Amino acid sequence: MMDAKELVLLVISSALVSNVVLSQFLGLCPFLGVSKKVETAAGMGGAVIFVITLASAVTGVIYKFVLEKFNITYLQTIVFILVIAALVQFVEMFLKKFMVGLYDALGVYLPLITTNCAVLGVALNNVKYDYDILTGVINGFATALGFAIAIVILAGIREKIEDNDIPEVFKGMPIVLVTAGLMAIAFCGFSGLL
C-alpha cells in the first residue's frame, strides 16, 4: 500500500500528466463522439468514472483472489472484458430506469463504454504496475476523472467554436481533431508537476 503522498502523486499523474485520452490515446471513440454538448459530455464522464472505478475494484479482486490463486492469469484479458461488459449493462439499465434524459442523450455511445479501451486499459495497467486493490481503485478513479475533465473541456470548446467562422476544410471532425491535439499539447504542461 502506498503512503498518502504517493497516492496524491498517483491521482495527479493519472488524471492530468498521463491523461488516458490525451497522452495514452485510449477512449478516443466516446471522447470525440460524445463531446458535442457539455451536458452530454459530463454525463458520459460520470458514467465512465463509475464504470472504471467499479471495474478497477472488481477486476482487482478477481485477479488477486481467482486468477492468481488458481494460476490462470493468462485469462485476465478475457475475464476483464466480461466483467466490464457486465458492469456497462448494469449502468445502462440504471440510466434507462432512473435517468432517461441522459440515457437518450448518450444514445449509442453508452454501450460503447463496453468497448472503450480506456476501461480495459486501466484494469490491465493496474495488474501491470502490481497495484493492490485499493491503489488500483484510486488509479481507476483518477484516470476516469482525467477522462471526464478532458471530455468536458473538449465539449465546452466545441460549443464555442460551433458559431465561429471556420474554413470549410476544417469544419466538422478536422477542427475537433486539431482542438484535441492542442489540448494534448497543453496537458503536456502538467508533466512539470511531478
Side-chain angles (χ1 to χ4, degrees):
M1 174 75 183
M2 297 180 166
D3 64 7
K5 179 181 175 185
E6 290 174 323
L7 287 175
V8 169
L9 290 175
L10 176 67
V11 168
I12 292 170
S13 174
S14 296
L16 300 175
V17 177
S18 299
N19 187 283
V20 71
V21 176
L22 299 174
S23 69
Q24 298 178 35
F25 306 112
L26 297 174
L28 287 175
C29 183
F31 177 69
L32 297 173
V34 186
S35 60
K36 292 179 183 172
K37 299 287 180 206
V38 172
E39 296 81 21
T40 309
M44 175 59 90
V48 168
I49 287 173
F50 179 77
V51 169
I52 289 182
T53 305
L54 195 56
S56 295
V58 174
T59 57
V61 169
I62 289 173
Y63 185 82
K64 178 142 181 89
F65 297 110
V66 178
L67 299 178
E68 276 188 343
K69 183 176 182 179
F70 295 108
N71 198 24
I72 53 173
T73 56
Y74 57 88
L75 293 175
Q76 71 185 9
T77 304
I78 295 169
V79 171
F80 291 176
I81 289 171
L82 293 173
V83 167
I84 291 164
L87 289 173
V88 171
Q89 289 300 313
F90 170 72
V91 170
E92 189 173 2
M93 289 186 306
F94 177 82
L95 291 178
K96 190 174 185 178
K97 178 132 178 116
F98 296 108
M99 303 174 110
V100 179
L102 180 58
Y103 175 81
D104 291 337
L106 291 175
V108 70
Y109 293 102
L110 186 58
L112 282 178
I113 296 175
T114 302
T115 59
N116 185 345
C117 52
V119 183
L120 180 60
V122 170
L124 292 173
N125 279 340
N126 287 342
V127 170
K128 176 182 172 184
Y129 298 127
D130 199 29
Y131 290 148
D132 59 62
I133 296 169
L134 179 61
T135 305
V137 171
I138 291 170
N139 178 55
F141 174 78
T143 301
L145 181 64
F147 177 88
I149 290 168
I151 196 171
V152 169
I153 290 172
L154 182 62
I157 294 171
R158 284 181 76 172
E159 283 183 358
K160 295 289 184 192
I161 64 174
E162 191 174 289
D163 299 328
N164 292 344
D165 186 27
I166 299 169
E168 194 64 36
V169 295
F170 282 111
K171 287 190 177 178
M173 195 51 66
I175 194 67
V176 174
L177 292 173
V178 169
T179 304
L182 292 172
M183 284 177 59
I185 292 169
F187 269 66
C188 284
F190 289 119
S191 63
L193 290 174
L194 302 178

